[in-house]
Amino acid sequence: MPPGHQWAYPWNAPLPPISRPDISTFDIEEKEKFIGRLLAARSRVAAFPKFIQAPINKRIDDIERSQGIKKANAHLLNHVILRTAPRLELIAEKYKINRDSFVTAELRRDFNNLPDMDSKRRDELAFRIAAYLNMEMSLIADETAGEPPHRVAFETYSRIANIARAFNQVPPGFSSWEKGSLEPDAAISALFRLTSENWWRRRLKRFADLWREHLQIGLGNVSKKTSAYCSRTTQFEWKEQRRRTREFLESMQLEDEEGNRISLIEKYDGSNANPEIRRCEMMTRIRGFENVSLELGYVADFYTLTAPSKYHATTSAGYKNRKWQGSNPADTQRYLCGVWAKIRAKLARDGLPIFGIRVAEPHHDGTPHWHMLIFMRPSDVDAIRLVMRGHAMSEDFEELRSDKAKKARFYVEPIDPDKGSATGYVAKYISKNIDGYALDGEIDADTKEPLKEAALAASAWASRWRIRQFQFIGGAPVSVYRELRRMADTDTAKALDLDFAAVHDAADKGAWGEYVKAQGGPFVKRRELIVSLVYELKEGASEYGEDVKKIFGVQCSHVPGSPIRTRIKEWKIVSKISDEAKATSVLALAFELDLNGAFAPSRSSVNNCTEPQRRVSRNIELQLKSRGETGDPEQVSILIRGGILKTDPGKGLRIANNQLIDVRIGLDVGRVYRASNERDVEKAFNDLGI
């Protein structure tokens, strides 16, 4: 067209040619790298447990909707991948089975999914692991046929324990095994546990609970900004467990040999399981210690011990701590116990006696720290402080560059009697970690929350991580004190021995200070006690064939061979409900819960029994008598709990499908697979490579 040509309509004019944007090879490579980083980031997030993935993905989606895709991608790469992912992967290394393990691929995959499993899937996994170990026992039995029993027991334990360790579990008796002091009978009992489905069910539940809580700590969901001391899930589960335990206790009664019944819930409320009674006893004991110290002319210091920065997941301001190395509260508690062991050893070598109380409580992020009220001679104060400070600050000393940092790690405050008693000083810490008594309206300086509410969270924290919150240092045993308080017959005490009577009288009136002095003072050695406990031994009475030690009573060291029985009656738990179906369901719960709401230990002095169980007991009794056994209640009790009844050396009996079967002790290959359906059987054999 000639220049200046006029088109009839503007849209008739030709458009300029479409040109490619000026994109360099470098820009293309950078874009591809960015896309690769996003894909890799998404892949890392997909490897997290699903309950962790969900809030992360939701947060990314929310940012994308409100601020755009660029901000969402930046959050994923800069926050999730650079800050959160390394913490979660550090935790995973502590719990997951690595690929180099000899555990079968399917079991490894399912075990590594424990945090996302519900109880049904977790129980299925417990069954499959027990089946796997039982099959391994069978193979070992074939390989070691004809060898001496003790050698077979040790060879079997070595191999089975190593498999359990591959599942990140510490096998029973393993510390003794490493020291070379494990006895054959103990090895056999440990094998019964390691091949028990119930044992694995309990272990996996606890392991999964700790794994989930540790992930919540790593994610930052345990802090003053979110949920102090422990996660909201842990608090909810702890409260729910208490509720279920209370319901169980209210539905049951205690029955003695004569058929007399008393309320189980009333006995619970009157025992040390009741937080109020436990708190009162602690206050009595610490007040008694203070009275003893005043009579001796001792002084008191209040110490605070804290772990180095690397043990803290969150800073004091509530932000993620970059120095954190993946420790959980149990790891930190072990560190503090190690420091205290070194302190006590040094004080003992230097002849510096002390007594008092230690309180373990959580920081806002769940990391424990210790408060200690220590009584000592005035002349020893400086030396004891020097020892305590030296050991408390020895690890990572280079980070203690300021007085504030040093005070955060170790702090000592002398107790001034003019300002208040030592008991009053520690009372707040005891109440804060039990039930929050008399703390209405007070605010926690660490979390800024009401101390009354913080007490519940602290109890849930201690329950989840199994941290001993209170420990007395020195003095006479509280177990003897409690047993003497069960003994109401003062005439018998006086007739036995005057020193015994003095100890009994002090315990009977709840005078802890007088009790300690009557027993020999705050530094008395266990072998020098005036009154000690006496135990009775029941051979093979536990469900795993172990000997059970139960308290029989007390004895006076001045009158050997003359124990006084304090537990006169044998009680069993029975249901108040007449309906057989309900009784059966309560029985199942009774086997899972003890009076504190935890899994019932095998050494419980209370037996569980209902009408359906009595019929089973009668059947087992008749079978035992047909085999020449006595069929007494003790033998029946061992078998009905799934234990092994020893008969001849190396031989025993157990129950399978309501029938007695012969087993070789230590080589129990006669266990029956308890699969709920054919799929479970097939899965178990696939795991075993069959």
Side-chain angles (χ1 to χ4, degrees), residues 2 18 50 146 218 331 335 386 400 422 536 545 603 612 619 624 626 684:
I18 299 175
K50 289 183 174 57
D331 296 329
Y335 160 77
L386 186 63
L400 305 177
E536 60 177 333
R603 301 191 176 202
N619 178 32
L624 284 169
S626 69

Side-chain angles (χ1 to χ4, degrees), residues 151-163:
R151 184 177 299 174
V152 174
F154 288 141
E155 173 65 20
T156 306
Y157 178 83
S158 175
R159 289 169 59 173
I160 297 298
N162 279 332
I163 296 174

